């Protein structure tokens, strides 16, 4: 909200600078986010009087004006505005002066006639967007004075951010009330005393929805002058608040809303048939609003109607048919209290955003309708004359608000500081809470406009914020009595992250929502859709971290990166029947050279085994390496011959493999991409070690080279060897795989290194050989292996 | 006598001339081998008359010792030379970069989260986590957001299409879950991802928050200020950091406050980052609203509490100078590598 400082000071004028006002407001929770100049730079603009207007001898559209600028001085100025008239008060810039945009005015020749300055439009002066003609100044404007003086002198505009609970501050009055409480000053209200009705006309109003509209008030005003114009000072107030001047009646309603916080609406009386009805819209009802669009209404929208038509959407926007027009002489002026529940959310639904709805949503003073009508009537009569009818008001029985208790003990306990009782009383009184003190307690009644005050805690905040939050001391809170639990059977995620970092991975964080189409390609289904996505690229919850990692890869490849190793930890979201499983996973992706370019290692692209090594390192953090099996299987994202699921005791805990080449091609990725994704929880489970004694007896080592069919998985060979070698074989490693010369095609040679160990005695060669024979026998029997010498 | 002097002189010359251990060994064999000159001399002693034997034996032995000593000295010399040559030959270029993988790095958001967690752990705050897809109850209702209230609309919530669920707009629902699960007293922090429907230079639709909650008997704003002062001074490693509390509004706290710190870029003198105010907004906080305690089945007459919520990307901006929040999620490796 933008509000003029001059306006505020009409209500309350503390001896403080603008900056001081702003700081006090901010420290009381009414945040002033910016202070700007109320007026453009008008240092060189004078008030002049047009004394004579002659046609230009050379140009039909130009006039030659004689303009009196005071002190006996008259100037000849050529002017193209159509509205220039003898006797008119105008804004003049003399030669040597400047427009607000900085351009200098010179004496010139215009089509052969000397012009000694410039007459200005509102737009040229930065005082509005009207550039149809010269800015017409009021007849009282003093010729020869600086225009700035006529506009009330320098002013500042405060930009204020009001939190959603403080609807009462959305007006000059509201902010002034805060200032009065903060500076301990009295508030001066504008004249809102009743206007004596000059006519008896009235319009009946009937409220069908009393809960949605607890108060509805209005009056007829007849005989407004058609030629009335909004005075300069009022236009300026609107402009400084960021509103445009439209029509004297509308300007007055806007003005009173900015001043008192009560939105008003004016109808063209001759467009109304019969009395007013306040009711919920009927299904299918529609109407054209002031935004120029036709809106279809739903039954949760409150409307104002007459006996024939819907006139407008209550509290949000009026209809265009019943609105005041240029020349409207008779009006019906409405001031209502619509409950926030009946308004909130509706403007969004209708695609509208209005000042009135903004205020009704946050709540207006339920007792302020008559005051606003009287104030508006006075202003209208000043500007456009007319006779007012009596105010008619329909209202529900007002809600009785309980008196609240505030205890000194509660204040001390909540704020952690003692505020002297006298100060508390003063603050409560200053805010209009009418406190009565009983020892260390107060009984208070919140004023009508403070509908946000409901309980003692609210009063604590009120007293605290006016006294000053910044006076609250900082008291250390003791550390916990017990140390935090540190479950050793659950690895911290940082161990897994660090494992990957040590292996050259950079952590990334990608969005939790991804492109559903990409997700279909990578997971086989689009995933859970968002109702209101930011964009089509972020329209579904990720079922895997792979879409994000692949997009990150593409982003970086497009930025000259050739070697990418990235990982992410986060949630994926998978629909399981009628539930959504939200599961933490860790996923990684590698692309390009396995090692950074260097002198001591051959350059080679990474492959499945590199990825598998990284996955094993992750499994190893919790000691799972040997208990997890990789099983060849297919996955929509993965190369059908380079994909494995990881099984831990019958449970699938993740996948690894190469990105499917067809997908890679679609995504313009030229080169294999290897990826893994593992459920985090199983990885984090760790067994607490029970240490066994280290045997004193030496171990023996044996090598074994066997030739098997290409299709025999290495995992099978390792498993069988361990099984057959039990209990002596304590370790088996594959140290070579060979295909080619000397080996039949379709077969491969696998070289094993075994460590044999007997923990209870020195292992003899004979015993070791016996075990090796058992191993060989098993491999021959079950895998058809032949032994190479 | 003369014979031996000459022999020793000759041996000395030959030993000095031998340039390798092999050559030196040949000299040794020549004098001391089985058929060496001096060995033969010793053998010949037996043929001498008994009267000459002692003197001749002594001379021969003296010569043998002299030659042996010269051989040993020369051998040590040659060995030292060999070793030195071997060492020189094995010279490596110590300036050559090492072999193998280069370490990666953690995302700055993770680094800040870990830092915040460590600081609060030292005050006994454990970490609680909750779902990112939430329901209205935990994200709004239990946190005293009235249906239809503008505060609820201001949250710019993402909703799911076919489910009555939403993406949490803050990590505050974890407060609710933790209180319902553990009851009071309780002290926790809840870090995690949060989502709001907003995307421009200063907003990303996803960001990270740490929510802090302490519920106990007789908890005050002064304690909150104490803990937050401690936290921010430790986080920024500046014991002279000052905090400013400003009243503000969050439905789940009352009283509520916004916390500013004096600008760490200009020390409060005013600069572009602080928009010349000298203050930087860092977090929101307040005393837990009694309605929230009620909703979490904690008796507000017996317990009170405070809560705060701090934006991790905001801390990253202040700590590391990440001026554009969107950089956090573009994942440009050139950006991320700076945080190694
Ligand atoms: Zn600064």
């Amino acid at each position: 909200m933008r509000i003029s400082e001059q306006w505020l000071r009409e209500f309350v004028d503390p001896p403080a600078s603008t900056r001081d006002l702003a700081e006090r407001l901010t420290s009381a929770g009414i945040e002033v986010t910016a202070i700007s100049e109320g007026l453009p730079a008008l240092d060189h603009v004078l008030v002049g009087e047009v004394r004579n207007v002659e046609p230009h001898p050379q140009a039909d559209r130009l006039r030659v004006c004689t303009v009196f600028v005071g002190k006996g001085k008259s100037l000849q100025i050529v002017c193209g505005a159509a509205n220039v008239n003898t006797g008119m008060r105008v804004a003049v810039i003399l030669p040597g002066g400047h427009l607000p945009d900085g351009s200098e005015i010179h004496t010139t020749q215009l089509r052969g006639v000397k012009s000694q300055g410039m007459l200005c439009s509102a737009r040229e002066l930065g005082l509005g967007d009207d550039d149809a003609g010269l800015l017409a100044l009021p007849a009282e404007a003093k010729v020869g004075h600086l225009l700035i003086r006529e506009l009330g002198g320098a002013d500042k505009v405060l930009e204020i951010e009001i939190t959603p609970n403080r609807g009462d501050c959305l007006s000059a009055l509201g902010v002034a009330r805060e200032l009065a409480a903060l500076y301990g000053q009295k508030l001066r209200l504008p004249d809102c005393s009743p206007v004596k009705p000059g006519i008896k006309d009235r319009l009946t109003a009937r409220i069908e929805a009393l809960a949605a509209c607890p108060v509805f008030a209005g009056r007829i005003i007849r005989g407004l002058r058609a030629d009335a114009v909004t005075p300069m000072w009022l236009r300026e107030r609107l402009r400084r608040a960021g509103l445009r001047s439209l029509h004297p009646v509308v300007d007055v309603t806007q003005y009173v809303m900015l001043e008192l916080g009560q939105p008003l609406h004016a109808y063209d009386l001759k467009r109304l048939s019969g009395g007013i009805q306040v009711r919920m819209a009927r299904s299918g009802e529609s109407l054209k609003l002031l935004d120029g669009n036709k809106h279809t209404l739903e039954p949760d929208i409150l409307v104002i109607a007459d006996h024939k038509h819907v006139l407008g959407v209550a509290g949000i926007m009026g209809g265009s048919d019943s609105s005041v027009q240029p020349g409207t002489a008779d009006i019906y002026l409405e001031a209502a209290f619509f409950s926030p529940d009946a308004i909130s959310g509706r403007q969004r639904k209708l695609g509208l955003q209005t000042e009135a709805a903004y205020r009704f949503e946050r709540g207006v003073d339920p007792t302020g309708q008559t005051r606003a009508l009287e104030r508006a009537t006075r202003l209208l009569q000043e500007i456009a004359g007319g006779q007012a009818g009596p105010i008619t008001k329909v209202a529900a029985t007002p809600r009785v608000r309980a008196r609240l208790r505030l205890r000194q003990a509660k204040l001390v306990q909540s704020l952690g500081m003692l505020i002297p009782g006298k100060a508390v009383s003063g603050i409560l009184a200053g805010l209009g809470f009418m406190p009565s003190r009983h020892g260390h307690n107060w009984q208070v009644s919140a004023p009508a406009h403070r509908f946000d005050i409901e309980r003692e805690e609210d009063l604590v905040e009120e007293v605290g914020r006016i006294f000053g939050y910044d006076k609250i001391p900082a008291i250390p809170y003791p550390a916990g009595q017990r140390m935090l639990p540190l479950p050793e059977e659950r690895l911290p995620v940082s161990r897994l992250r660090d494992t990957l970092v040590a292996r050259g991975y950079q952590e990334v964080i990608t969005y939790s929502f991804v492109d559903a189409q990409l997700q279909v390609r990578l997971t086989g289904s689009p995933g859970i859709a968002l109702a209101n996505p930011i964009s089509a690229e972020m329209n579904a919850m990720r079922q895997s971290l792979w879409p994000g990692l692949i997009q990150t890869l593409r982003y970086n490849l497009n930025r000259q990166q050739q070697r990418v190793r990235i990982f992410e930890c986060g949630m994926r979201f998978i629909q399981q029947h009628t539930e959504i499983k939200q599961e933490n996973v860790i996923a990684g992706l590698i692309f390009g050279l396995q090692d950074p370019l260097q002198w001591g290692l051959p350059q080679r692209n990474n492959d499945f085994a590199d990825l598998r090594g990284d996955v094993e390192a992750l499994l190893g953090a919790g000691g799972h390496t040997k208990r997890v099996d990789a099983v060849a299987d297919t996955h929509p994202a993965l190369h059908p011959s380079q994909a494995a699921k990881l099984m831990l005791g019958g449970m699938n805990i993740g996948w690894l493999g190469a990105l499917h080449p067809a997908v890679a091609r679609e995504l313009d990725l030229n080169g294999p991409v290897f990826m893994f994704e593992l459920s985090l929880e199983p990885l984090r489970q760790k067994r607490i070690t029970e240490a066994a004694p280290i045997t004193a007896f030496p171990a023996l080592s044996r090598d074994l080279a066997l030739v098997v069919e290409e299709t025999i998985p290495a995992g099978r060979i390792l498993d069988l060897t361990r099984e057959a070698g039990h209990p002596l074989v304590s370790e088996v490693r594959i140290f070579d795989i060979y295909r080619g010369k000397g080996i039949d095609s379709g077969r491969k040679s696998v070289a094993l290194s075994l460590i044999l160990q007997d923990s209870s005695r020195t292992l003899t060669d004979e015993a070791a050989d016996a075990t090796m024979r058992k191993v060989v026998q098993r491999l021959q029997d079950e895998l058809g292996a032949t032994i190479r010498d | 006598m003369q014979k031996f002097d000459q022999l020793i002189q000759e041996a000395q010359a030959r030993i000095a001339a031998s340039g390798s251990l092999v050559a030196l060994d040949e000299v040794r064999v020549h004098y001391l081998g089985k058929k060496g000159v001096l060995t033969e001399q010793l053998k010949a002693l037996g043929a001498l008359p008994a009267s000459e034997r002692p003197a001749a034996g002594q001379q021969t032995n003296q010569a043998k010792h002299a030659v042996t000593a010269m051989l040993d000295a020369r051998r040590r010399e040659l060995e030292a030379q060999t070793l030195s040559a071997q060492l020189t030959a094995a010279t490596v270029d110590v300036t050559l970069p090492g072999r193998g993988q280069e370490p990666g790095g953690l995302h700055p958001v993770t680094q800040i989260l870990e830092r915040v967690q460590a600081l609060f752990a030292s005050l006994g705050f454990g970490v609680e986590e909750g779902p990112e897809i939430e329901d209205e109850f935990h994200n709004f209702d239990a946190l005293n957001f009235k249906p239809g209230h503008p505060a609820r609309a201001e949250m710019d919530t993402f909703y799911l299409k076919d489910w009555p669920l939403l993406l949490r707009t803050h990590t505050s629902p974890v407060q609710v879950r933790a209180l319902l699960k553990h009851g009071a007293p309780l002290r926790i922090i809840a870090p995690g991802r949060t989502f709001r429907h907003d995307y421009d230079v200063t907003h990303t639709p996803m960001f990270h928050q740490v929510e802090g909650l302490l519920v106990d008997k007789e908890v005050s704003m002064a304690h909150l200020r104490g803990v937050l002062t401690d936290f921010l001074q430790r986080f920024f490693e500046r014991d002279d950091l000052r905090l400013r509390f400003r009243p503000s509004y969050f439905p789940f706290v009352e009283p509520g406050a916004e916390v500013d710190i004096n600008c760490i870029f200009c020390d409060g003198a005013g600069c572009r980052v602080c928009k010349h105010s000298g203050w930087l907004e860092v977090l929101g906080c307040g005393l837990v609203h009694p309605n929230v305690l009620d909703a979490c089945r904690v008796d507000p007459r017996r317990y009170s509490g405070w809560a705060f919520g701090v934006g991790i990307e905001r801390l990253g901006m202040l700590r590391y100078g990440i001026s554009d929040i969107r950089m956090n999620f573009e994942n440009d490796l050139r950006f991320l590598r700076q945080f190694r």
Side-chain angles (χ1 to χ4, degrees):
Chain A
M1 183 180 67
R2 294 161 57 86
I3 195 94
S4 140
E5 182 184 354
Q6 280 179 3
W7 202 349
L8 288 175
R9 287 193 189 270
E10 279 181 13
F11 288 87
V12 58
D13 192 10
S17 67
T18 316
R19 180 148 290 281
D20 192 42
L21 294 186
E23 272 173 20
R24 288 293 286 274
L25 282 171
T26 300
S27 70
I30 313 296
E31 190 181 357
V32 178
T33 54
I35 300 171
S36 54
E37 287 298 330
L39 282 167
L42 299 174
D43 314 350
H44 301 95
V45 187
L46 298 175
V47 177
E49 184 190 345
V50 180
R51 290 260 167 103
N52 188 31
V53 180
E54 304 264 341
H56 190 289
Q58 311 292 332
D60 289 348
R61 298 182 57 192
L62 294 180
R63 266 32 107 67
V64 181
C65 311
T66 309
V67 182
F68 179 62
V69 291
K71 294 182 191 148
K73 195 172 164 193
S74 281
L75 300 167
Q76 173 176 299
I77 298 176
V78 177
C79 163
N83 68 335
V84 65
N85 256 317
T86 308
M88 187 180 186
R89 296 278 194 280
V90 288
V92 191
I93 302 180
L94 306 188
H98 295 83
L99 278 166
D101 69 6
S103 46
E104 192 177 333
I105 304 302
H106 303 279
T107 300
T108 52
Q109 296 282 328
L110 275 171
R111 308 282 301 267
V113 177
K114 188 162 87 171
S115 180
Q116 298 168 290
M118 177 176 174
L119 306 183
C120 308
S121 71
R123 185 171 196 160
E124 284 157 342
L125 294 172
L127 294 176
D129 41 17
D130 186 1
D131 62 351
L134 298 182
L135 173 68
L137 299 176
E140 314 84 73
K142 295 235 164 41
V143 176
H145 275 184
L146 280 172
L147 177 63
I148 252 182
R149 246 175 89 183
E150 293 300 312
L151 294 173
D155 187 17
K156 301 276 190 209
V157 170
L158 306 186
E159 186 114 20
I160 302 181
E161 231 172 77
I162 306 285
T163 53
N165 59 324
R166 293 303 304 274
D168 65 294
C169 288
L170 291 171
S171 62
L173 170 65
V175 176
R177 270 192 302 245
E178 289 286 309
L179 286 172
L182 285 167
Y183 286 94
Q185 299 221 331
K186 274 247 169 329
L187 203 60
R188 291 187 301 262
L189 286 173
D191 185 1
C192 301
S193 59
V195 172
K196 204 167 163 230
I199 51 176
K200 287 184 177 152
D201 305 33
R202 62 174 76 198
L203 215 56
T204 58
R206 198 160 61 82
I207 310 176
E208 281 180 23
L210 259 184
C213 175
V215 182
F216 189 92
R219 79 167 6 143
I220 287 172
I221 302 174
R222 285 190 187 276
L224 297 172
R225 281 197 308 273
D227 63 350
V229 290
T230 307
M232 189 74 201
W233 66 266
L234 199 154
R235 281 207 304 260
E236 267 302 296
R237 288 272 159 91
L238 295 182
R239 187 188 62 77
R240 290 174 209 181
L243 299 186
R244 286 171 56 194
S245 167
L246 298 166
H247 179 288
V249 174
V250 177
D251 289 353
V252 165
T253 60
Q254 300 270 54
Y255 181 87
V256 173
M257 175 184 73
L258 292 176
E259 185 175 65
L260 304 176
Q262 170 66 49
L264 298 170
H265 187 69
Y267 301 86
D268 186 341
L269 187 63
K270 70 172 185 290
R271 302 282 185 145
L272 306 187
S273 19
I276 297 283
Q277 289 179 355
V278 187
R279 59 169 171 84
M280 303 316 288
R282 298 187 181 118
S283 226
E285 243 173 353
S286 68
L287 107 141
K288 195 174 160 196
L289 294 180
L290 281 166
D291 66 342
N293 296 322
K294 193 166 172 176
H295 294 261
T296 305
L297 307 175
E298 281 171 47
D300 66 336
I301 290 178
L302 186 70
V303 296
I304 311 295
D306 61 14
H307 290 176
K308 286 189 180 153
H309 310 283
V310 185
L311 303 173
V313 176
I316 299 178
M317 193 179 270
S320 63
D321 287 348
S322 57
S323 66
V324 292
Q325 306 292 330
T328 296
D330 305 336
I331 62 166
Y332 176 72
L333 194 59
E334 160 206 302
F337 170 61
F338 302 115
S339 79
D341 288 349
I343 304 300
S344 66
R346 311 306 199 282
Q347 55 170 344
R348 210 175 256 236
K349 222 165 142 176
L350 292 167
L352 300 170
Q353 229 181 334
T354 68
E355 293 280 337
Y358 184 69
R359 285 170 175 77
F360 281 124
E361 268 188 352
R362 282 157 179 75
V364 304
D365 183 344
T367 64
Q369 288 67 41
T370 309
R371 178 176 64 187
L373 281 176
E374 299 291 9
R375 173 70 171 146
T377 308
R378 284 183 179 278
L379 284 170
L380 265 179
Q381 288 185 332
E382 246 173 60
I383 295 165
Q387 295 287 324
I391 289 178
T392 53
K393 180 172 161 185
V394 192
T397 320
R399 192 166 63 102
V400 179
R401 296 177 69 191
R403 275 173 80 75
L404 294 173
R405 183 177 66 151
L406 174 64
R407 293 163 295 159
Q408 175 83 288
K410 174 80 178 176
L411 266 177
V412 172
Q413 197 260 294
S414 293
L415 298 176
M417 63 175 168
L418 181 77
I419 305 177
K422 232 176 127 176
V424 175
S425 298
I427 289 168
L428 291 170
L431 288 168
F433 284 69
M434 296 181 289
S436 58
R437 188 171 176 180
H438 310 278
H440 293 299
N441 298 332
W442 290 265
Q443 288 286 330
V444 307
S445 294
H449 59 268
R450 292 306 304 273
F451 36 81
D452 60 316
I453 303 295
E454 286 172 348
R455 53 199 306 160
E456 191 176 20
E457 283 78 7
D458 300 327
L459 297 173
V460 170
E461 175 168 276
E462 288 305 303
V463 173
R465 74 181 181 89
I466 301 293
F467 187 70
Y469 269 19
D470 228 40
K471 298 193 183 99
I472 296 172
I475 300 176
Y477 199 78
Q481 307 239 309
R482 300 281 321 269
M483 293 178 186
L484 287 175
L486 194 59
E488 200 176 347
E489 285 173 299
R490 197 155 178 265
L491 277 183
V493 185
S494 61
R495 285 284 304 280
L496 300 174
R497 286 199 177 101
D498 292 346
T499 299
L500 287 176
V501 167
R503 299 176 75 90
Y505 283 78
Q506 171 64 50
E507 187 189 23
V508 300
I509 297 181
T510 69
Y511 286 112
S512 301
F513 17 67
V514 297
D515 183 346
Q517 279 181 6
L518 178 62
Q519 187 140 274
V520 169
R521 291 299 276 126
L522 295 173
T523 63
S525 67
I528 296 153
L530 286 173
N532 54 337
I534 282 273
S535 70
E537 289 79 47
M538 302 185 184
N539 59 357
M541 298 309 290
R542 62 182 183 186
Q543 304 187 98
S544 160
L545 275 45
W546 288 346
L549 291 181
I550 289 172
Q551 294 296 24
T552 303
L553 169 67
R554 296 178 68 203
Y555 183 94
N556 282 287
L557 291 178
N558 287 336
R559 281 158 186 79
Q560 297 179 300
Q561 304 296 305
Q562 279 133 25
R563 182 173 174 269
V564 174
R565 297 169 73 81
I566 50 179
F567 80 98
E568 180 173 9
C569 259
M571 273 188 184
R572 66 179 180 200
F573 309 88
I574 296 173
Q575 179 173 356
Q576 283 186 337
H577 310 293
T578 54
E579 295 209 332
I580 294 173
K581 187 177 175 200
Q582 308 190 40
E583 188 188 15
N584 274 310
V585 293
I586 187 165
L589 175 155
I590 55 176
F591 178 91
L593 289 180
Q594 168 62 9
D595 302 291
L597 193 60
Q598 54 190 285
W599 61 273
L601 282 174
Q603 263 185 60
R604 64 173 184 85
N605 283 322
N606 47 35
D607 60 21
F608 186 92
D610 291 319
L611 185 79
R612 172 116 202 231
D614 298 331
V615 168
E616 279 166 13
L618 281 177
L619 294 168
H624 296 303
T625 321
K626 280 181 190 152
R627 279 180 283 135
V628 171
D629 294 318
V631 182
D633 205 339
T634 55
H635 185 287
L638 299 177
H639 189 304
S641 309
Q642 297 184 17
K645 63 178 175 196
L646 291 171
M647 302 300 293
L648 173 64
M651 180 176 59
N652 177 7
I653 60 160
W655 285 85
L656 71 158
L659 178 65
H660 199 297
V663 182
R665 211 166 26 246
E666 280 169 36
L667 297 172
D668 296 325
L669 295 166
N670 47 5
V673 180
F674 295 93
M675 315 182 294
F676 68 83
E677 179 165 296
L678 308 171
S679 299
L680 208 53
E681 272 317 307
L683 289 190
R684 293 182 65 184
Q685 284 161 28
K686 183 179 189 295
R687 266 194 305 213
I688 296 174
T689 302
E690 282 178 53
I694 294 173
T695 176
F697 304 105
L700 291 176
S701 80
R702 290 282 190 275
D703 288 354
L704 184 61
L706 51 138
V707 178
V708 291
E709 291 288 329
E710 190 64 70
T711 51
I712 303 287
R716 189 96 177 87
I717 298 172
L718 291 170
D719 287 350
L720 271 181
T721 305
R722 283 192 200 104
E723 229 177 277
H726 187 76
L728 292 187
V729 171
S730 63
E731 207 179 309
V732 190
R733 285 177 181 275
I734 295 175
F735 68 90
D736 190 35
I737 298 207
Y738 172 74
R739 298 170 180 91
K741 208 176 152 211
I743 306 293
D744 294 344
S745 85
R747 291 170 78 81
K748 62 188 171 189
S749 160
V750 178
L752 303 178
S753 164
L754 292 79
I755 305 286
L756 294 91
Q757 173 101 58
D758 187 333
S759 55
S760 57
R761 65 183 70 98
T762 299
L763 182 64
T764 61
D765 278 323
E766 291 73 33
D769 291 343
T771 291
M772 287 305 290
R773 279 195 298 277
K774 274 199 303 183
V775 169
V776 167
Q777 191 66 49
R778 271 298 273 287
L779 294 171
Q780 282 171 340
D781 292 352
E782 297 201 21
L783 303 180
T786 54
I787 305 305
R788 267 179 103 201
D789 299 316
Chain B
M1 277 299 284
Q2 271 234 299
K3 191 176 85 183
F4 282 107
D5 284 349
Q6 203 179 337
L7 185 141
I8 287 168
Q9 269 175 22
E10 186 193 296
Q12 189 177 21
R14 290 184 64 170
I15 286 168
S18 43
S20 70
L21 287 168
V22 177
L24 185 66
D25 202 52
E26 277 167 19
V27 178
R28 182 188 62 80
V29 170
H30 176 76
Y31 289 100
L32 303 171
K34 274 186 188 161
K35 295 193 172 150
V37 180
L38 281 166
T39 317
E40 293 296 331
Q41 289 279 348
L42 282 167
K43 281 185 199 162
L45 285 176
L48 288 179
S51 60
E52 291 178 22
R53 255 187 246 159
Q58 197 187 0
Q59 283 178 346
T60 313
N61 270 323
Q62 274 173 353
K64 187 183 167 185
H65 284 135
V67 171
T68 305
M70 286 189 298
L71 280 169
D72 284 349
R74 180 60 180 158
R75 197 189 71 241
R76 281 195 295 274
E77 210 176 289
L78 283 173
E79 275 172 358
Q81 276 173 18
T82 309
L83 180 63
S84 157
Q86 277 171 355
L87 291 178
T88 307
T91 301
V92 297
D93 181 352
V94 296
T95 65
L96 258 180
R99 182 181 294 122
Q101 201 62 259
E102 276 166 13
L106 292 176
H107 194 282
V109 163
T110 301
Q111 297 188 31
I112 296 169
L113 280 171
E114 287 187 346
R115 208 171 145 69
V116 173
Q117 285 174 25
L119 288 170
F120 276 96
S122 65
L123 272 187
F125 285 73
V127 172
E128 284 283 326
E129 282 169 350
E132 290 168 10
I133 296 180
E134 264 293 3
D135 52 31
E136 298 259 348
F137 173 78
H138 291 93
N139 197 73
F140 289 131
D141 301 344
L143 291 166
N144 199 35
F145 282 82
K146 304 263 160 52
H149 195 273
R152 201 148 161 160
E154 272 184 10
M155 286 300 230
D156 297 318
T157 313
F158 280 108
Y159 291 93
L160 299 192
K161 199 173 178 187
D162 302 314
W163 304 74
L165 296 172
L166 47 83
L167 303 190
R168 66 177 179 195
T169 56
H170 41 195
T171 52
S172 315
V174 182
Q175 274 188 37
V176 178
R177 291 178 178 277
L179 271 177
L180 285 170
K181 191 162 118 195
H182 306 293
L186 184 68
R187 56 176 90 189
I188 54 150
I189 58 169
R193 294 183 178 210
T194 51
F195 307 88
R196 289 188 202 169
H197 199 283
D198 214 346
Y199 202 3
D200 58 36
V201 192
T202 50
H203 299 90
T204 47
M206 179 182 91
F207 55 98
H208 294 75
Q209 248 190 11
V210 170
E211 176 93 4
L213 171 74
L214 184 144
V215 175
D216 211 331
K217 287 177 181 155
E218 312 237 317
V219 170
S220 78
M221 288 289 277
H223 294 132
L224 173 58
R225 189 170 191 148
V227 170
L228 289 178
T229 303
D230 195 12
F231 163 57
L232 291 167
Q233 287 184 347
R234 289 297 192 217
F235 182 85
F236 289 105
E237 297 183 79
R238 293 200 35 179
D239 285 349
D240 61 345
L241 203 68
R242 280 175 295 117
L243 273 64
R244 180 171 81 164
F245 269 50
R246 277 185 292 115
S248 190
Y249 174 71
F250 310 98
F252 42 102
V253 289
E254 184 76 19
E258 199 102 51
V259 176
D260 303 332
I261 53 172
N262 57 318
C263 180
I264 51 177
F265 299 99
C266 63
D267 278 317
C271 68
R272 253 186 46 218
V273 184
C274 60
K275 293 184 198 138
H276 303 281
S277 69
W279 294 100
L280 295 166
E281 203 172 300
V282 284
L283 55 82
C285 64
L287 295 187
V288 180
H289 197 288
N291 289 350
V292 176
L293 293 177
D294 267 335
C296 298
R297 293 188 222 116
V298 172
D299 184 352
R301 281 160 307 180
R302 288 184 61 208
Y303 287 99
S304 51
W306 51 248
F308 69 87
V310 58
I312 295 305
E313 287 80 3
R314 174 75 179 155
L315 291 180
M317 190 230 125
L318 300 179
R319 181 72 173 168
Y320 302 132
I322 305 171
S323 51
D324 184 344
I325 179 175
R326 293 171 299 188
M327 300 281 282
N328 285 301
F329 308 117
E330 275 168 1
N331 294 305
D332 191 317
L333 291 173
R334 295 165 300 178
F335 166 74
L336 294 175
R337 283 189 191 122
Q338 298 174 41
F339 300 93
R340 286 184 180 172

